[in-house]
Amino acid sequence: MTFYLSGFRSFPKLWKSNPYFELGPATSSASFFLGVHCVIGNQQRWFSVKTTPPNSKILNLLVTKARTLKKGNDSNKQASSGPHYFAAGAAKKRSHLSGNPQNQGHTLPVKSTVQLPTKPLNSKEWDKLKEDFKGKASFEDFVISQMTRSCSSVDVAKSLLAWVAAKNNGIVGYNLLVKYLYLCVFHKQTSEVIDVYEIMKAKYKSLESGGYTLLIRGLIHSDRWREALLLLEDIKKVMVPSKKNYGDCIQGALLHQDVNVAWSLYQELVGHNLIPLLETLKAFFDHGKDMNDDQYSNQLLDILLYLRNNQLYPGESFAHSIKTWFESIPGRQWKGQFTTIQKSGQCSSCGRAIESIHLSPEEYEFLKETIMRDVIDGGDQYKKTTPQELKRFERFVKSCPPFDIVIDGLNVAKMFPKGRESQNLLSVVSQLAQQNLQLLVLGRKHMLRPSSQWRKDEMEQVRKQAHCFFADNISEDDPFLLYATLNSGSHCKFITKDLLRDHKACLPDVQAQRLFFKWQQGHQLAITKGFLKSKLTFQHILSYDTVVQTTGDTWHIPYDEDLVPRASCEVPTKWLCLQRKTPAPC
Amino acid sequence: MNVTVRFLRPFARCLVPYTFHRTRSNSYSRVLQRYVSSKVPSLPCHNKDSTSPPEQLELDGWKTTMKSSIQENGVSVVSDKDGDSLAATRELIEMWRLLGKEVPEHITEEELKTLMECASKSAKKKYLRYLYGKETMKKAKQMKKEMKAAAREEAKRARSLEPSTGEEQRDFMFLRLWDRQTNIALGWKGVQAMQFGQPLVFDMAYDNYMKPIELQNTVSQLLESEGWNRRNVDPFHIYFCNLEVDGAYHRELVKRYGEKWDKLLLTATEKSPVDLFPKDSIIYLTADSPNVMTTFKHDKIYIIGSFVDKNTQTGTSLAKAKRQNLATECLPLDKYLQWDVGNKNLTLDQMIRILLCLKNTGNWEEALKFVPRRKHTGYLEVSEHSQEAFRKQKKTKTLNSFRKGSLNVRMSKR
């Protein structure tokens, strides 16, 4: 209870007099201190998280400073200066900090009983090598597998095949042929690929997907690239070709300047509900540099919109391709820059505001309904709760005013293992209550039963300072959390450290999942500090949406850095900012 | 005449092992040889001298032979021309097999159709692997059978060589009718259980949560459970509740049991257990239950959900019990076992064996022997005695702690 006296007693008074009150400027120089502000406008209370330094130069300086600091001691847990909760690489860092190192990708020692030859052998040498070989698999199979693994030269493999053919009346098995083909394709030996293609065509009526894939990949570089399209047709007879197959064919078509075929293949690929490889899309942009065609440019812009709609982010080299393409458009003078976005949601290079993270009213309604229908109800109300409890909860929510913050009581209570659980909860609740926020604490009934972890007097205090709802012990509390937050309106935030992935998975389609994720990014507060002595601090919430976006004469494209691994629940932090200097002469 | 034959047979049977031993190695190798030789078409002929080139630059020679040797071959293949996707799939499977992938060698029309119905590529591959496994197993069984037959043949021949055995008559008390006798006895016990046995309910209301393959697994487990129950000293009276006539379950059960289905000593009903028994005596067993089973109660009716859940639809049976407002319990696995891997859902036959053991002995350690060994690393030391001690210690913890602490200090000093 000490912090009551020290830091927070004067807090409410202060923020009323000064709307941009800085919280403890002395705590750490490198961190942008995130204050929780609550500004009362005309009857509307909104809640936001803001950065204190408004000057971008200072901010940049601070960013670099923070980086050097971070490099200096990696283990220091300056969570508030670190990346936001959903930033690329954040999850990995978290797991690292919590002392849960990823097990290193241990490489199995490849035990090879045969020393792979480095130059072509004649048949006697092969015979000798075979005698030395002991193993289960057949000798030829084993050797050529090893060769593909270590990417031996084509000649060595060829000598092996010649030896096998000589032994076998001139017949080489299909598996050897495919692996040989792999080597040829790998080393880009187009003439060899064509030879193998001829053999396969003559010998087998149809091939299997692996062989087709390799042939397509090999043939697109040759003059006979159109036959790759025929092979694609052959695959289609049995199954849907992979995105790799389509990607190869498209690249082949682009390589030979047949743009129409490339685009029709692309349409087909998207029509099969396959997500194209980023390489494929990159190829379109790379090719676009030499083109000067309005239709082609429009199609490229369509690709960008496709990226937007499917929440895809280009890789670093793809981003470079996009940049060069834009800059190569004659007469429009696009200018591209790699940049980051400030926490206020402004692009550091052009200063324009990035799209807000908030959902549109229709999207919001849709999400609310889907959550209610699929996450809470889910076809069987008894799975997560009971109908009685659901009714009780709905009545309870209706009886209360809209909340500002919904707290996942159990998650918050267990966040700091050192303290008593009820004590943790109380400290968080009372710190928030002092800011005149309408709070809702969700929990389970067992929290009310006095025990060593749950003291009765502390729970009483919690109930005084916040609205509380206690679900049955076997019910899930997260769905209630989601619903209460959504029901209170767009200003309402919720506190939990849970990434809510299992609930996201309950949603029926990708579109709803994306909406949920967007909403989650904008409304989830994750506590980083806040136990007893330290003040309550949250991971900052993004105020802007990380997605490919345009305003007509600007494009902002987030991209993945090559060296930063990104979990699926995270978003990139780097952006490509494109703006047009002069308006288009339409 | 009749009698002597009957007496002779057991004797002959016990003679087999001895002769078998002598000839086993011999016959095995022969069968193996036959098998292998039938598989491998022909050994490659050695015409090394003609083809070994003086220089290794002669590397492309095989290509022309490949191409030329095919021409005559290729024509015949092309001739059967039908653009049917079924045929194309068949060819694809054949090519995959050449590549050494795990696909079946032979595939029937029906299986091919099932394959085409698979929604995704990975589903197709999975199904093919399943067929491959099935085929391999069948082949291995076939081979074993052949080997046994050969060994028997061998034994017979050996016996015929030794003429003066098994001629004499011997005196026995019983005819060899063990199987039939046991069946009758088990049937008798089953009838007793039908009248006076403790009910054990299998809830069959899960058929729409399961895929066909899971349903088949469930029915296999049910068969197994019923078998274990039948052989027990004091069987349960089994109820198959919520079993819809001509539902998927019913069809599968009738298919597996055949004619026996109508003669089974159990109660199959379309009714729900709630209609059959008083609600407060029902206990629904589910691994998701928050309540742990402490003892087996002989006056309760336990319900087991006959549900193989490969999709991890957690909480389905708990939701079912909640809806009907039934008491639930789960096995005290964590209390007695050092759990390692696998989920806590046990198979139906393991469940019934555990329950039978509890019913007869009431000993948890004994009963939990039926939990697969791979799932836990061993028993926890919570015998009755230590538990008591633990409780006592907890009570007097505050009193003892000081004294204990000081004692420890002294010990460490010494």
Side-chain angles (χ1 to χ4, degrees), chain A residues 120 123 127 158-159 161 165-167 169-170 172 174 192 195 202-203 205-206 208-209 240 380 382 385 474, chain B residues 44-45 47-48 51-52 56 59-60 62-63 66 70 77 80 91-92 95-96 99 121 290 316 319 322-323:
Chain A
S123 57
D127 279 329
K158 209 192 274 177
S159 77
L161 290 203
K167 261 182 23 174
N169 289 336
V172 176
Y174 179 69
E192 277 306 306
D195 275 352
K203 171 131 184 160
K205 187 187 165 198
S206 72
E208 47 75 55
S209 47
V240 178
D380 186 357
Y382 286 92
T385 165
I474 51 171
Chain B
C45 50
N47 44 358
K48 211 187 291 172
T51 52
S52 68
Q56 60 262 59
L59 290 176
D60 289 332
W62 58 277
K63 284 182 187 164
M66 278 292 274
I70 283 69
V77 174
D80 55 274
E91 273 165 31
L92 174 77
M95 292 314 282
W96 265 340
L99 207 56
K121 236 182 265 182
T316 310
K322 255 160 95 181
R323 178 172 308 123

Side-chain angles (χ1 to χ4, degrees), chain B residues 3 6-8 10 170-179 181:
Chain B
V3 176
R6 265 199 194 142
F7 276 67
L8 252 168
R170 291 171 68 181
D171 290 336
F172 292 98
M173 178 130 46
F174 300 113
L175 299 183
R176 282 185 63 96
L177 297 166
W178 293 114
D179 284 357
Q181 294 301 338

Side-chain angles (χ1 to χ4, degrees), chain A residues 119-125 127 155 158-162 165-175 177-180 192 195-196 198-199 202-211 237-242 245 379-386 474-475, chain B residues 44-48 51-56 58-67 69-71 73-74 77-78 80-83 85 87-89 91-92 95-96 98-101 116 121 124-125 209 288 290 313-316 318-320 322-324:
Chain A
K119 58 177 179 47
L121 305 181
N122 61 28
S123 57
K124 268 189 198 131
E125 286 165 320
D127 279 329
D155 282 341
K158 209 192 274 177
S159 77
L160 173 73
L161 290 203
K167 261 182 23 174
N168 238 352
N169 289 336
I171 304 293
V172 176
Y174 179 69
N175 51 347
L177 220 50
V178 166
K179 276 166 186 157
Y180 176 66
E192 277 306 306
D195 275 352
V196 176
E198 289 295 336
I199 290 171
K203 171 131 184 160
Y204 304 105
K205 187 187 165 198
S206 72
L207 305 180
E208 47 75 55
S209 47
K237 274 185 209 157
V238 191
M239 55 165 80
V240 178
S242 68
N245 296 146
D380 186 357
Q381 294 189 342
Y382 286 92
K383 251 187 178 169
K384 291 186 172 156
T385 165
T386 58
I474 51 171
S475 296
Chain B
C45 50
H46 292 270
N47 44 358
K48 211 187 291 172
T51 52
S52 68
E55 299 307 322
Q56 60 262 59
E58 178 65 52
L59 290 176
D60 289 332
W62 58 277
K63 284 182 187 164
T64 50
T65 55
M66 278 292 274
K67 277 179 212 168
S69 74
I70 283 69
Q71 286 317 9
N73 216 353
V77 174
V78 174
D80 55 274
K81 208 178 147 193
D82 46 347
S85 71
T89 313
E91 273 165 31
L92 174 77
M95 292 314 282
W96 265 340
L98 281 181
L99 207 56
K101 292 209 177 184
M116 301 299 281
K121 236 182 265 182
K124 278 180 191 170
K125 280 182 188 163
Y209 293 96
D288 300 319
Q313 315 163 27
T314 352
T316 310
L318 186 64
K320 198 143 269 185
K322 255 160 95 181
R323 178 172 308 123
Q324 293 172 337

